[in-house]
Amino acid sequence: MSKRAKESAPQINRLVVIGLGLIGSSLAIAARQRGLAKHVVGISRRTSTLELALEAGIIDEARESLDEVAAELGPSDVVVIGVPTLTVPAVLKDCRRLLADDVTVTDVASVKGSVCRAAHDIYGELPRQFIPGHPIAGSEKSGVTAANRNLFENHRVILTPNSSTGSEHLSLVEGLWTDVGAVVSKMSTEEHDGILAATSHLPHFLAYSLVDTLAGMGDNREIFRYAAGGFRDFTRIAASDPVMWRDIALANREAILTILDQVMGNFQTLRKAIDGGDQQYLMDVFTQARDARNHFSKLLEDKSLQGSMKDKRINYHIVPGGKAQGTVRVPGDKSMSHRSIMLGSLAEGMTEVTGFLEGEDSLATLQAFRDMGVLIEGPEQGRLVIHGVGLHGLKSPEKPLYMGNSGTSIRLLSGLLAGQSFDTELTGDTSLSGRPMGRVADPLVSMGAVIDTAKGGTPPLKIKGGQQLKAIDYVMPMASAQVKSCVLLAGLYAKGETSVTEPAPTRDHTERMLRGFGYPVSVSDSAARLSGGGRLEAARIDVPADISSAAFFMVAASITPGSDITLHHVGVNPTRIGVINILRQMGAQISLTNEIEIGGEPVADIRVQYAKLEGIEIPESQVPLAIDEFPSIFIAAACAQGETILTGAKELRVKESDRIQSMADGLNTLGINAVATDDGIRIVGGTIGSGRVLSHHDHRIAMAFAIAGLRAQGEIIVEDCNNVATSFPDFINCAATVGLVINVETVND
Ligand code: S3P
């Protein structure tokens, strides 16, 4: 991954590295070769180490002790203490004795509590010039000969400053680590030591202990001869530097003992389960561990391969022109994916789901149910097995349930959680934290639920458990499937028959899927009804491709001369096909083939060919049926002849962004006449120019402007596209298969 090149003069004058082990020498060479300091000095007591360091170009100058350089050091000099953890206090004493108080001092020890306590004892306080640090990088190799200028690329460095830390010192150290390619995080020393005890220290001790146990066994040569890949993988870190790990064991004693006790307790239980042939326990533990491992491997891959994308913004650069040709299967339906987890978890028995959307939104729902004790295998290529716990089998989660960007997760879950025996708290990201939740809290409160929202009716939601809910007849003030589903899910736990009447038809996946799980739901006169106290039986769910994701390609083909694409196995539930109806009314050529019904949901292949589009007045009756597709429909309108007018769509203002304003602003930037109105928009078709538009962190705005590139005169840059991963993680590759070229720029803030 390419990094910011250092174009300006180095911020650091002298970088003095005390201790030329793996970390110290790697930092020295990384800084020296990137020109981050005018002069790099290495200090070691061993002449041979200093000679090697000079020879390998790791340092500019070699010294045997700090005394020899201390007097020359001042404000823009940085001293890095790179010695083993237990030796840090001795070096800190030298620093106190020799250095002026404007010299920045930092360390790289793996334990921060003991280092900070030592600094406190030596200086009488944590000195403002001292920045405790820990690069989470390393290898089982040690010493100056293992120096690696890229060791810190895309690795985390944790700094543990406190309130007395000097900001000028902090920014020098932070800048140094960032410039050698690391990702800097800050936290308290206690938090650091607890996390590292579990994720780094414990695995090393397990590896040392296993190898030592085997080495002590009778014919250990025979044993090691047959040890295969698993043993090698697991014990690689037992080749690490013993001095370093002895120091860590002693320095982080408390935190390590806590986690060690926990693991030893689990070992005892595992032993009992093996002894007693407890298959269920073994399956549960191994499956949960495998899934947790897969989940975190993905996170790790993101960190190391994509340069910690999550923490960085990505912009799309859309190469203008192209033609949409071919066949695409877009990812699984988001609404159905959420519901499959919820109902599968509450059912009795094992539910198998295929076609599950592995996007961040539905994964947030999945994680929430894992946090409430549901065993869920997968996802593996869209396949999940959910071990349902029944309507009353959820367990109290240990921490707030994090819903990320997902409105569907938080709103549907609030209904379901209002009927549980335990308290819960639901939180989300910045966008979700600004979205209205009164629309679900109000009906739930009238059912007897106890819910607190933040000021202004937004998340976090605090839901008090143990309430007996009562059925209500709810007439929704807005057409919202999320509100309808929330009330129906609460209705599962309520006494009596709950009904929800909607002002216009909205997606009915909850009603259909409940029936698929054997739960009676009746629908008549725009009202859905169910009675509490029933049970759900495990089912098989095949999630079709999401029409909301397919919509981008339907518009892509419709606006680009010569295009012809087929979207495979798309859900075409009548409450979702507003986009087809609207585009057809504009003149689009869309045909459905292979129409079948799977698990109570209609599915079809959708073929779309280029056609000249005309502006229309969009019928208000279509608004709820196309509610998520308007960003792409607006792009179709921008390419149509004449004016397109949308009214009755105020709901668009409270989606992941204000989609009316976000789209109007972006279209104007691209030279299209678009005027936002209170409840809709007027768009006059024209020529799409080029420019830089904002996605407002909204996945669908980002993808809509990407599609616009097909008809643009020049490059369109869409800012902040990370959230595309919430609903369409593979968008760029999918788009490439039909001829749309999107380059990704990673932005270092
Ligand atoms: C959804 C319902 C819609 C939609 C959202 C998913 C659902 O929201 O915009 O993306 O799965 O129930 P509203 O019901 O608030 O319109």
Side-chain angles (χ1 to χ4, degrees), residues 596-617:
I596 43 168
E597 193 169 300
I598 294 186
E601 289 279 354
V603 176
D605 292 341
I606 303 177
R607 182 174 178 198
V608 189
Q609 289 159 286
Y610 168 73
K612 258 190 156 32
L613 302 182
E614 305 270 336
I616 58 164
E617 277 186 34

Side-chain angles (χ1 to χ4, degrees), residues 455-486:
K455 233 165 104 196
T458 55
L461 295 181
K462 290 185 181 152
I463 303 174
K464 190 126 196 65
Q467 315 299 322
Q468 174 55 63
L469 302 184
K470 56 178 193 302
I472 54 166
D473 292 312
Y474 189 58
V475 179
M476 279 197 296
M478 77 287 286
S480 166
Q482 293 181 348
V483 176
K484 172 176 65 175
S485 304
C486 162

Side-chain angles (χ1 to χ4, degrees), residues 480-497:
S480 166
Q482 293 181 348
V483 176
K484 172 176 65 175
S485 304
C486 162
V487 176
L488 289 176
L489 291 174
L492 297 174
Y493 294 91
K495 260 202 172 124
E497 187 186 73

Side-chain angles (χ1 to χ4, degrees), residues 476-529:
M476 279 197 296
M478 77 287 286
S480 166
Q482 293 181 348
V483 176
K484 172 176 65 175
S485 304
C486 162
V487 176
L488 289 176
L489 291 174
L492 297 174
Y493 294 91
K495 260 202 172 124
E497 187 186 73
T498 297
S499 76
V500 186
T501 305
E502 48 190 6
T506 65
R507 66 191 68 191
D508 60 358
H509 305 302
T510 305
E511 297 90 304
R512 286 176 190 251
M513 208 181 277
L514 275 168
R515 284 197 212 106
F517 278 90
Y519 206 101
V521 183
S522 67
V523 180
S524 58
D525 303 331
S526 53
R529 295 185 171 75

Side-chain angles (χ1 to χ4, degrees), residues 186-326:
K186 290 175 213 126
M187 59 179 71
S188 70
T189 51
E190 295 74 26
E191 199 182 346
H192 169 275
D193 287 358
I195 291 174
L196 269 289
T199 56
S200 166
H201 307 169
L202 180 70
H204 278 82
F205 303 144
L206 291 178
Y208 279 131
S209 182
L210 173 66
V211 177
D212 184 51
T213 307
L214 297 197
M217 282 166 76
D219 195 353
N220 58 41
R221 289 225 336 236
E222 272 305 290
I223 292 176
F224 286 128
R225 178 166 309 151
Y226 293 109
F231 177 81
R232 261 198 304 273
D233 288 351
F234 186 77
T235 58
R236 178 180 58 80
I237 49 180
S240 305
D241 180 8
V243 173
M244 173 172 164
W245 288 98
R246 175 206 60 194
D247 283 11
I248 290 173
L250 301 176
N252 201 19
R253 181 173 173 273
E254 297 303 324
I256 290 168
L257 290 181
T258 306
I259 186 75
L260 205 52
D261 286 346
Q262 222 169 308
V263 170
M264 279 159 63
N266 285 348
F267 265 148
Q268 285 302 343
T269 321
L270 185 65
R271 188 187 186 288
K272 249 193 241 152
I274 294 172
D275 188 27
D278 186 344
Q279 294 192 24
Q280 189 57 47
Y281 177 86
L282 297 175
M283 266 313 283
D284 286 4
V285 170
F286 296 165
T287 310
Q288 289 190 86
R290 181 198 61 188
D291 292 339
R293 158 83 202 170
N294 287 343
H295 179 67
F296 101 93
S297 304
K298 274 192 195 147
L299 290 181
L300 287 183
E301 270 165 32
D302 275 0
K303 291 279 164 283
S304 53
L305 299 179
Q306 296 172 35
S308 183
M309 284 297 197
K310 280 213 159 323
D311 302 331
K312 289 176 182 158
R313 288 187 297 118
I314 58 171
N315 296 339
Y316 285 174
H317 288 238
I318 323 293
V319 178
K323 209 192 294 183
Q325 292 280 2

Side-chain angles (χ1 to χ4, degrees), residues 313-316 405 429-432 434-435 631 652-669 692-705 717-724 726:
R313 288 187 297 118
I314 58 171
N315 296 339
Y316 285 174
N405 191 248
D429 70 3
T430 322
S431 149
L432 189 62
R435 294 183 65 186
L652 289 181
R653 291 204 179 266
V654 289
K655 293 294 177 190
E656 285 83 328
S657 71
D658 175 344
R659 286 188 173 156
I660 293 179
Q661 204 56 52
S662 309
M663 286 303 296
D665 292 346
L667 286 170
N668 289 338
T669 304
R692 213 177 171 93
V693 296
L694 302 179
S695 75
H696 296 273
H697 311 285
D698 184 331
H699 53 139
R700 300 203 199 280
I701 303 290
M703 290 186 275
F705 282 119
I717 299 171
V718 192
E719 289 196 9
D720 272 343
C721 299
N722 298 50
N723 273 348
V724 168
T726 59

